[in-house]
Amino acid sequence: MATNVDSVITEENDSGNVTDRENLDRLLKIFNGGTGVNLGDIVSRVVIAQETYDTPEAYLDRLMADRIVTSFKNWRCRNDEDTIRRVEEAKQPVRVAQHGREEGSITPRKVTINDRKPVMMPHITQRVKTFYMDPGDIRFSKRDTVLIPNEGTKSARARSMIGGTPITRETAIALRKITIGTTVHSLSRDWRKSALVFQDSSTKYPYGFHTHQNGSRAFILCFQGYLLKNLMFGKTYASSLAMKNSLQPNDFERRKALCSAICDVLWQAGGRSRCCICLQQDQAFFDTDYTYRVDGITEKLNLYEFKKYQDLEIFTKRHLSHFEHENTNGCILLLYSVILSRTINRIIEDAGITENDEKFKLLTDNEECTTVLINLLLTGRAVPYYHNGNIIYDKDGHLLPTPLRGLKERSQVGLLFWDRNEEPDERTEIGSMLKTPKNPIWLTLINGHYGVLYSNNIDLVSDWRVEHHFTLHYYTGSISKTYTVLTIETLRVPEEAKKPPPEECWGNTRYTRRFRCKTGLVRKVEEEKIPPLEQCILTKWYGANIDWHGTFPFY
C-alpha cells in the first residue's frame, strides 16, 4: 500500500507559516539552476523507480535521489515525531498480504512527495519483430548526459544497442547465399574496409564519399546519389542562396543528409511500409559447423525492424557511426539491411528466378554489383533489366518463354549507360524511367567504370526549355580523375567553336546541332573521337555539344 507523506519539508520563516508545496517548489527552483531540466518530474520518477523496482536502472536513480536529498541544506523536517517515524518506515520494505499473495510476502512501500498523481515516463516498447523508438525514455544525471551501465564484458558499440532480434542460422545462410552464392567463402577485405566515408571538408567536394577500385564502388555511389538529392533538394524552404551553397555543406549538414539517404534507400526497398537495419554485435548468436564457415560478420548481426519512418530516422541517427567509419563493415551492414528490407523472397520474385536456381546472387564472381542490385538500390525493386515495363516478345516478334522484367515507375536517381564493346544494333536499352528520374542525378556506368552525374537545377528533368543550356557535375570518388564540370549546349553551336574539316561535315540539324551519320564506317570513326563520358551523355541528349572547360577528358 502507498503511504502519502503530505508534510515533510518546511522552513522557518519570520514572516509566517509557509506551505510545504511552496517550500518544495522553491527548493526545486534553486536546485535547478536554470538548466532547463524539470526536476519535479525527475524526483517523482525517482521515488517510484527506487521503491517499486530493484533494477540497475533504479540504482542509478537512487544515487540521484540521494544526491538531491543531501543538498537539502538549511531545511529540516517538522518537529513531529510521528511524521519522522513514518518517513523512516517508508524506506524499509514491509510485509503485507494483498492481491492473493501469501502472508508475509515482501512488498516495497511507495512514497510520494506532495504529488497526488506522479508523472509516469513511457518505456521503450520492445517486440520480437518490430522495434519502436521512444525519445522520452532517457535518464539524465547532469543536464543531457545519458547514463549507460558500466559493463566490462561488452564494448562501447555493443552497449549502445538496445533491443533487436538476434539473427538465426537459417537467415544467415540465406543472406550469404543470395549475396555471394555460398556459405563457405566470405566477402573480400576490400568490401570489409568499405564504408560511407566523406572526403575532407577542405576539398572542392566535401559532400563526396571515398570510393575504392573494387566492387563496393557502385554500391557507395548509389548512396552518393541519394545524399546529393537530400543536400540539394531535401530542404523544406529552398532558395537561390541555399541551392548555391548546398554543395559546400558543413559536417552537421552532410551527416544529416547521409542519415536521410540511408533511410530513403531502406524505406524504398521495403515498399515504404517497413524496413530492417542490421548492426554487428561482439559475439556470434549461433554455433557453426562444416556447412557454414564463419566470416565474423553475418553470425553476429542484430536485426531491427521498423514500421514507422520516424522511428527509422531516430535509430539511424543514433547508430550512424556503424556506417560512416572505416573498418566497421559499413557497406556490408548496409547491403544486408537492403536485402532484409526487401526480403529474400521478394527479391527472387522481382528477378523472376525460380526457387531451384542456385546460381542467382547479387554480386558477381568479382564481387561487382549486378543489375539486380543496382536496380534494388536505385528504385527499390530487384528487376534484372533497365527498360520500361515487361517485354514479352523478342525483336523478331516471337513470344518469349518468360517476360523480361523492367521498371514500372520513375526512380529518384537515374542511370546512364555506355559500353564501347557493344554492337550499335545491340545496345543496352535504358528506359525513360531511369533516363528521366525525379531528380537530375544519374549513376553512370561507362565501360565498366561508375560515376555520378548531377545538376543542381531541379527543372532539368521537368522543363524541356532548361535543356537548351545547362551545367552538369561529374564525380567518381577515386583518388585520381575525381571531379569535373561540363557545360551542355543542345540548342546551338557557339560561334567561336572551331569548325570541323570539310570531310567531317556530315550535316547539321535545323538548330545547327550535330547528328551522327547513318553509315556504319563513318559512324565508327566518329564515335572513336568522342570521349566515353560524352558518348554516355549523348544517349540522353542526342547531338549535344559538350564543353569540358579545359579539363582533359578522362572518361
Side-chain angles (χ1 to χ4, degrees):
M1 298 177 60
T3 302
N4 296 325
V5 182
D6 297 330
S7 301
V8 176
I9 304 174
T10 186
E11 178 187 17
E12 291 184 354
N13 195 330
D14 298 337
S15 62
N17 296 329
V18 181
T19 61
D20 296 333
R21 185 64 198 183
E22 292 176 354
N23 289 335
L24 182 60
D25 292 339
R26 292 174 57 188
L27 174 63
L28 294 179
K29 184 177 180 180
I30 296 172
F31 187 83
N32 187 7
T35 59
V37 180
N38 190 352
L39 288 180
D41 295 342
I42 292 180
V43 170
S44 301
R45 180 162 55 87
V46 164
V47 173
I48 294 173
Q50 72 173 346
E51 298 173 2
T52 306
Y53 307 102
D54 188 11
T55 61
E57 292 81 3
Y59 172 73
L60 299 174
D61 290 338
R62 194 177 303 114
L63 293 179
M64 186 191 305
D66 294 339
R67 184 170 299 181
I68 294 175
V69 173
T70 54
S71 63
F72 290 172
K73 295 182 179 180
N74 299 326
W75 297 78
R76 61 184 179 84
C77 295
R78 179 178 297 174
N79 294 328
D80 188 353
E81 297 181 358
D82 182 61
T83 301
I84 297 176
R85 179 180 55 81
R86 282 165 36 186
V87 172
E88 294 297 332
E89 290 179 355
K91 297 181 180 179
Q92 303 295 332
V94 296
R95 298 181 179 275
V96 298
Q98 60 180 4
H99 300 295
R101 297 181 181 178
E102 297 181 359
E103 185 68 24
S105 60
I106 297 177
T107 302
R109 190 189 296 268
K110 293 183 180 180
V111 178
T112 58
I113 303 177
N114 290 339
D115 284 333
R116 299 296 180 87
K117 296 181 179 180
V119 179
M120 296 293 295
M121 298 298 291
H123 296 277
I124 292 180
T125 304
Q126 298 183 5
R127 298 185 179 179
V128 177
K129 294 184 178 180
T130 308
F131 190 76
Y132 297 96
M133 295 298 299
D134 190 351
D137 187 61
I138 300 178
R139 296 178 174 84
F140 297 94
S141 61
K142 294 182 179 180
R143 301 200 178 192
D144 295 340
T145 303
V146 180
L147 297 178
I148 300 177
N150 186 13
E151 301 179 9
T153 58
K154 294 183 179 180
S155 64
R157 177 180 62 183
R159 290 200 305 269
S160 65
M161 301 179 190
I162 303 175
T165 304
I167 191 171
T168 61
R169 178 186 177 85
E170 292 74 15
T171 305
I173 292 176
L175 274 177
R176 294 277 292 274
K177 285 187 176 180
I178 198 173
T179 305
I180 57 178
T182 179
T183 59
V184 177
H185 302 286
S186 59
L187 289 169
S188 64
R189 184 178 299 178
D190 293 334
W191 267 92
R192 291 172 180 268
K193 68 180 181 181
S194 298
L196 303 182
V197 183
F198 282 106
Q199 300 272 4
D200 190 80
S201 57
S202 61
T203 62
K204 295 187 296 184
Y205 27 85
Y207 56 85
F209 293 135
H210 283 286
T211 60
H212 307 278
Q213 295 293 339
N214 54 44
S216 64
R217 183 178 183 182
F219 186 84
I220 294 175
L221 289 179
C222 288
F223 283 91
Q224 180 72 71
Y226 277 90
L227 176 79
L228 291 169
K229 169 209 167 227
N230 286 279
L231 277 178
M232 296 187 295
F233 314 118
K235 296 180 175 60
T236 306
Y237 301 100
S239 63
S240 58
L241 181 61
M243 294 298 297
K244 182 179 180 180
N245 298 329
S246 60
L247 297 180
Q248 294 295 327
N250 54 31
D251 185 67
F252 172 78
E253 291 175 341
R254 65 183 186 179
R255 293 185 79 250
K256 181 180 178 181
L258 172 59
C259 176
S260 300
I262 294 175
C263 294
D264 289 346
V265 173
L266 297 180
W267 194 249
Q268 180 179 248
R272 297 180 177 87
S273 60
R274 58 163 298 278
C275 71
C276 180
I277 290 184
C278 303
L279 297 183
Q280 183 180 348
Q281 291 281 10
D282 292 337
Q283 298 178 356
F285 289 113
F286 56 87
D287 297 329
T288 60
D289 55 11
Y290 68 94
T291 61
Y292 180 92
R293 184 177 180 181
V294 177
D295 63 354
I297 302 174
T298 312
E299 62 276 358
K300 297 180 180 180
L301 294 181
N302 213 19
L303 311 182
Y304 300 83
E305 185 175 356
F306 300 91
K307 293 185 178 179
K308 295 181 180 179
Y309 188 81
Q310 293 77 7
D311 295 340
L312 174 64
E313 282 186 322
I314 295 173
F315 186 85
T316 306
K317 288 179 182 178
R318 292 182 180 180
H319 301 89
L320 196 61
S321 59
H322 291 261
F323 312 112
E324 63 175 353
H325 297 298
E326 289 185 281
N327 301 323
T328 57
N329 304 318
C331 286
I332 298 179
L333 295 179
L334 285 175
L335 176 60
Y336 287 157
S337 300
V338 172
I339 294 173
L340 293 181
S341 296
R342 188 60 182 174
T343 70
I344 298 176
N345 293 333
R346 293 187 66 181
I347 291 177
I348 295 176
E349 180 182 355
D350 291 342
I353 305 299
T354 59
E355 297 181 358
N356 298 327
D357 191 356
E358 298 181 354
K359 296 182 179 180
F360 174 72
K361 53 184 179 180
L362 297 177
L363 297 179
T364 63
D365 294 337
N366 296 327
E367 295 186 349
E368 299 282 345
C369 295
T370 60
T371 304
V372 176
L373 181 56
I374 294 296
N375 283 330
L376 178 60
L377 294 171
L378 296 182
T379 67
R381 297 183 69 249
V383 293
Y385 297 98
Y386 296 129
H387 55 71
N388 296 344
N390 297 335
I391 296 179
I392 59 176
Y393 297 99
D394 59 10
K395 60 181 180 180
D396 297 328
H398 301 295
L399 184 66
L400 296 173
T402 56
L404 306 180
R405 302 190 179 190
L407 304 173
K408 296 183 179 180
E409 60 180 5
R410 290 175 65 189
S411 60
Q412 296 289 335
V413 178
L415 174 73
L416 296 179
F417 178 88
W418 171 262
D419 192 350
R420 61 186 175 190
N421 296 324
E422 290 184 339
E423 296 295 331
D425 298 334
E426 297 181 358
R427 295 286 182 188
T428 300
E429 180 183 357
I430 307 295
S432 59
M433 301 298 180
L434 286 175
K435 277 189 177 181
T436 311
K438 296 180 180 179
N439 301 282
I441 305 170
W442 294 269
L443 177 73
T444 61
L445 177 55
I446 305 171
N447 298 331
H449 298 278
Y450 286 92
V452 176
L453 200 66
Y454 62 93
S455 172
N456 57 0
N457 191 350
I458 189 64
D459 296 331
L460 183 60
V461 291
S462 59
D463 191 351
W464 60 271
R465 291 169 294 186
V466 180
E467 295 183 317
H468 293 164
H469 182 83
F470 57 95
T471 301
L472 290 178
H473 303 258
Y474 183 67
Y475 178 79
T476 62
S478 59
I479 299 177
S480 60
K481 305 176 182 179
T482 302
Y483 175 81
T484 187
V485 180
L486 307 172
T487 300
I488 314 299
E489 185 76 32
T490 60
L491 182 61
R492 62 187 181 276
V493 179
E495 296 179 359
E496 61 273 11
K498 182 179 179 181
K499 295 184 179 180
E503 61 272 10
E504 295 185 8
C505 293
W506 13 264
N508 295 291
T509 64
R510 59 179 296 185
Y511 296 108
T512 68
R513 287 181 295 176
R514 299 182 304 170
F515 66 88
R516 284 179 272 183
C517 184
K518 296 182 179 180
T519 339
L521 182 59
V522 179
R523 181 187 300 177
K524 184 177 181 180
V525 174
E526 173 201 348
E527 289 180 352
E528 289 178 354
K529 298 179 180 180
I530 301 176
L533 179 57
E534 292 190 22
Q535 294 278 21
C536 185
I537 295 175
L538 290 175
T539 60
K540 167 68 177 173
W541 294 280
Y542 178 74
N545 293 279
I546 302 172
D547 185 6
W548 287 72
H549 298 284
T551 304
F552 183 78
F554 52 84
Y555 276 123

